Amino acid sequence: QVQLVESGGGSVQPGDSLRLACAASGRTFSRDVMAWFRQAPGKEREFVAVVNRRGTTDYADSVKARFTISRDNAKNTVYLQMSALKPEDTANYYCAARIGPYYSRQRGDYDSWGQGTQVTVSS
């Protein structure tokens, strides 16, 4: 199991940008598939983005072209660059990890989760 700690959330206006970070420890980070999920009040936790050990990425249609996931293996950290934020993006954002090599959009495939960081987008 890997320990994950998210940071970078906050309250912003529509159109603004934020960069979330997730620091990992306890497992060989470079071998893990890393993902971001989010959960809004009253809704199910949903997939946002994923990056595998080789840097291949996948995104939910709702965030494609606005969000970018990346990883820095030397720092054991995964990032989510969020641009052109919308009120619909308001949610608690969680990072997740699974033993590679294959990535997944399914929350049940991930064995490690952070505690989340809140992102609020409002006028």
Side-chain angles (χ1 to χ4, degrees), residues 4 9 28 32 34-35 40 57-58 63 92-94 99 119 121-122:
L4 305 173
T28 304
D32 280 5
M34 303 296 299
T57 60
D58 189 31
V63 306
N92 200 1
Y93 283 71
Y94 300 86
I99 299 174
V119 173
V121 185
S122 62

Side-chain angles (χ1 to χ4, degrees), residues 3 10 37:
Q3 291 74 52
F37 290 76

Side-chain angles (χ1 to χ4, degrees), residues 12 26 28-30 37-38 43 61 77 81 90 122:
V12 299
T28 304
F29 176 80
S30 62
F37 290 76
R38 67 186 182 185
K43 295 187 176 181
D61 289 342
T77 301
Q81 179 65 50
T90 296
S122 62

Side-chain angles (χ1 to χ4, degrees), residues 3 18 22-23 35 43 51-52 54 56 65 68 70 75 77-78 84 86 94 98-100 119 121:
Q3 291 74 52
L18 281 174
C22 176
K43 295 187 176 181
V51 58
N52 76 357
R54 300 188 182 278
T56 303
T68 301
S70 62
K75 296 183 177 180
T77 301
V78 63
K86 305 175 180 180
Y94 300 86
R98 67 169 294 176
I99 299 174
V119 173
V121 185

Side-chain angles (χ1 to χ4, degrees), residues 34-38 44-51 57-69 80-81 83 86 88-89 93 103-106 110:
M34 303 296 299
W36 289 94
F37 290 76
R38 67 186 182 185
E44 298 294 316
R45 190 171 300 184
E46 65 177 2
F47 168 79
V48 176
V50 61
V51 58
T57 60
D58 189 31
Y59 299 90
D61 289 342
S62 59
V63 306
K64 195 170 296 182
R66 297 190 299 119
F67 291 9
T68 301
I69 187 172
L80 185 68
Q81 179 65 50
S83 300
K86 305 175 180 180
E88 307 94 274
D89 296 318
Y93 283 71
Y103 57 67
S104 173
R105 290 170 171 251
Q106 305 300 316
Y110 293 84

